[in-house]
Amino acid sequence: MKLLDLPLELLLMVLCFCDVSSVMLASQTNKTLHDLACLRIVWISLVEDLRHRGFVDRLSAADVRAMPTSDLVAVVRRLVVGPAAWSPAQSSAERPSRSASHVVLRPAMSPGHPFSHQDVAVLPRGEHVLLNNSRGLECWRVADGVLVWRYESDRVEAFAADVQDGGESANLVICIGGAPPNHQ
């Protein structure tokens, strides 16, 4: 049996489970696979896979499903070849301008609390920052500089985070050091 003897629905399902490179290679073999590889559902699957692996930031599953095919292809292209600004073929007048944005987080810090790079962690996807300060471990939302939650303790020695479900949740490990306060 030849590959193209399979039903088109089955070929489409196979492409939806492929990585970007495999889809691109398959699209170059013949017109049938090219036409299937250009379908929106294939590109949704590719971007969703990249999103779950942490390569695509700031897109929810709903955002991905709402995007037209051309935008989905642009997301993947940017990951594969880099932003348009990296391309020497474009003059600066042809490059789209992009305004930079910044958010200032204003956590409470005490002078007696030494601060180091080990006290800050940007979570994958860049949407949240963990900050260990004099008040405990805090999670800040980067987009608007809002404190999301705080674990109150002046004894947080270390912490680690593992983002789950494409950024929808996270597992945190918080290491507490020193002797507990003596309450008499």
Side-chain angles (χ1 to χ4, degrees):
M1 174 180 241
K2 296 179 182 177
L3 179 67
L4 293 179
D5 291 339
L6 294 171
L8 293 179
E9 295 82 15
L10 186 58
L11 291 172
L12 183 60
M13 286 179 65
V14 169
L15 286 174
C16 286
F17 284 102
C18 289
D19 61 14
V20 174
S21 178
S22 298
V23 169
M24 297 308 298
L25 290 172
S27 74
Q28 296 172 6
T29 59
N30 61 53
K31 184 172 176 9
T32 301
L33 288 177
H34 176 78
D35 291 345
L36 288 173
C38 290
L39 293 176
R40 185 171 172 270
I41 189 69
V42 173
W43 290 93
I44 288 173
S45 297
L46 289 171
V47 173
E48 273 296 309
D49 180 57
L50 293 168
R51 191 178 75 80
H52 285 290
R53 292 171 186 250
F55 289 107
V56 176
D57 292 342
R58 301 177 189 241
L59 287 177
S60 68
D63 292 336
V64 171
R65 286 189 299 273
M67 293 173 79
T69 306
S70 59
D71 289 354
L72 294 165
V73 171
V75 167
V76 173
R77 180 179 307 218
R78 180 179 165 89
L79 287 171
V80 173
V81 299
W86 290 0
S87 174
Q90 288 184 330
S91 70
S92 60
E94 294 172 328
R95 277 188 220 129
S97 63
R98 186 173 149 186
S99 62
S101 64
H102 69 278
V103 174
V104 177
L105 304 178
R106 302 201 185 278
M109 301 299 288
S110 67
H113 183 78
F115 192 74
S116 76
H117 70 281
Q118 295 173 332
D119 292 323
V120 178
V122 178
L123 296 182
R125 295 181 42 156
E127 295 176 1
H128 294 86
V129 173
L130 292 177
L131 176 68
N132 183 19
N133 64 24
S134 60
R135 300 167 93 186
L137 184 63
E138 298 177 340
C139 180
W140 291 77
R141 189 170 48 236
V142 173
D144 51 9
V146 170
L147 177 64
V148 178
W149 61 259
R150 176 184 302 127
Y151 175 80
E152 292 188 23
S153 173
D154 60 353
R155 300 182 304 127
V156 175
E157 294 285 327
F159 59 91
D162 181 30
V163 176
Q164 303 289 313
D165 303 322
E168 301 299 319
S169 63
N171 292 326
L172 294 174
V173 175
I174 302 172
C175 301
I176 304 297
N182 189 3
H183 295 288
Q184 292 181 350

